[in-house]
Amino acid sequence: MREARQVRKSYQLRPLICALTLVSLGLMLHGCSNSPMDKAQESWSTAGSYVPAAVVAQPLDFPKDEDVRKLPPEPGLSNASCGLNSESGIEDELIQRINAWRAEARYCGSKLYSAVPPLRWNLKLQNAAYHHSVEMARANLISHVSIDSRELWNRVRQTGYAFSRVSENIAAGQTQVASVMEAWQKSPAHCAAMMEEKLEEVGVVCIHKPSSFYKFYWTMDMASPLVAPKELKQELEKQEKTDKSRNRNPFLKIADEVKKF
C-alpha cells in the first residue's frame, strides 16, 4: 500500500499542461497531460484527479487596464514573472520564443501547420493570465475554470478585451520559460493553439508559490480583437465627423438644443 502511494505521488509531481480554445462561442477542451509530452494525452480526470491540500481561495475582482508587471507581489507569491530573468521579466524571452516558433512550418502531432505571422504582446491578456495564475497558485489547482466558475471567455472579457477568438494554454511545475515552451510545443493541442493563424495577440504570466504543490503556475492567453463590420465602422466614422462638425458650428449646436424642447 505504501509503495502504491509513493508511485502515485511520483506520477503526480510531473509538470502538467492544459489547452483550451474558444472560437465564436464554440468550446473545445483539449484536456491536460503529464509531461513528457511524447506520450498520448490524458484527460484531466485521469492526470489531475489528486490535488493535495487544496485551499479555499476568494474569487478575484480585478480592475481593467492595470499593468500587472508593476503590481507588488502578494504575500507568499512571486511577481508576474515567477521572479525569473531579474528585472526584465519573462515577456521578452516569451515573445521571442513564441514568434520564433510561429515563424516556421511545424508539425503539431501528425498535422502540418504553415508558418504564421508573429503575435503582439497585450496587457489586457496578460492581466487575465495573471489573475488566473494567481488563483491556481492560491488554490493548488490546475484548471481552465476559475474557483468562482468563470471560464476563459469571462476572464478575458472582464479585462475589457473584446475578442473574436480566444485560446489558453496553462501549465504547472515548469521552472523556466524554455521548459514550459518545450512542453507546449511537444503537445499537439498546445502546439496547434500557438500555431493558430487567426490569433494576433498574447499575454503570458508565471506565478511562483513555494509552499504550493506545483510551485510554478503558467497561463498563456492568446486572442484576436473583435473588429466591427466595415459598414458599422464607416457609420461610426461618419457619426464622429458629424459630431465634430456640430461642435465647431455654434448655430448647429444651438439648433440641437432647441430640438430638445
Side-chain angles (χ1 to χ4, degrees):
M1 185 68 177
R2 180 179 299 175
E3 182 179 355
R5 288 179 179 174
Q6 290 176 344
V7 170
R8 187 181 190 187
K9 184 176 181 181
S10 175
Y11 176 76
Q12 294 299 335
L13 280 173
R14 293 177 181 175
L16 284 175
I17 61 175
C18 313
L20 178 68
T21 302
L22 287 164
V23 182
S24 301
L25 298 183
L27 178 65
M28 289 191 297
L29 177 60
H30 296 299
C32 300
S33 301
N34 284 97
S35 296
M37 291 309 303
D38 55 351
K39 298 182 179 180
Q41 285 192 301
E42 302 172 41
S43 68
W44 173 245
S45 60
T46 300
S49 58
Y50 173 65
V51 181
V55 297
V56 177
Q58 295 298 317
L60 296 166
D61 183 17
F62 51 91
K64 299 177 182 179
D65 300 324
E66 67 179 352
D67 188 345
V68 296
R69 298 170 300 181
K70 299 178 181 179
L71 292 180
E74 296 188 20
L77 302 180
S78 71
N79 60 11
S81 296
C82 274
L84 300 174
N85 298 350
S86 303
E87 293 183 1
S88 62
I90 58 177
E91 178 181 333
D92 290 343
E93 182 181 357
L94 273 163
I95 201 69
Q96 186 276 326
R97 288 181 179 273
I98 293 167
N99 288 334
W101 183 254
R102 289 170 61 90
E104 299 180 20
R106 305 285 183 181
Y107 273 100
C108 299
S110 59
K111 185 175 180 179
L112 178 63
Y113 287 80
S114 301
V116 289
L119 298 180
R120 304 182 299 272
W121 195 267
N122 183 276
L123 291 181
K124 291 182 186 294
L125 293 176
Q126 189 181 23
N127 184 337
Y130 172 80
H131 290 286
H132 191 54
S133 282
V134 166
E135 285 189 352
M136 292 194 296
R138 282 177 174 176
N140 286 331
L141 293 173
I142 311 300
S143 174
H144 288 289
V145 181
S146 301
I147 54 178
D148 59 352
S149 300
R150 281 177 300 132
E151 298 186 30
L152 170 60
W153 67 273
N154 300 111
R155 298 193 304 270
V156 173
R157 281 184 175 176
Q158 191 173 355
T159 69
Y161 189 101
F163 62 85
S164 58
R165 178 180 297 255
V166 65
S167 182
E168 181 173 82
N169 287 345
I170 59 177
Q174 296 83 359
T175 60
Q176 299 291 332
V177 171
S179 58
V180 76
M181 283 296 298
E182 182 180 4
W184 283 331
Q185 289 163 359
K186 288 183 177 179
S187 160
H190 304 81
C191 170
M194 291 191 293
M195 292 299 292
E196 171 56 58
E197 181 181 10
K198 294 181 180 179
L199 294 173
E200 301 175 30
E201 298 177 324
V202 64
V204 189
V205 162
C206 178
I207 295 295
H208 180 215
K209 183 181 180 184
S211 61
S212 67
F213 187 60
Y214 286 107
K215 302 186 186 306
F216 293 82
Y217 298 83
W218 300 81
T219 302
M220 171 192 282
D221 285 343
M222 298 170 284
S224 299
L226 182 64
V227 179
K230 186 177 180 181
E231 295 78 9
L232 177 59
K233 189 174 182 181
Q234 290 174 343
E235 182 63 28
L236 291 173
E237 291 175 350
K238 183 180 177 180
Q239 184 63 44
E240 185 178 1
K241 290 180 180 179
T242 301
D243 291 342
K244 288 181 179 179
S245 176
R246 287 183 177 277
N247 288 335
R248 288 195 298 266
N249 190 324
F251 296 103
L252 288 175
K253 195 170 183 181
I254 293 172
D256 287 339
E257 293 297 324
V258 171
K259 287 179 183 178
K260 294 178 182 179
F261 295 95

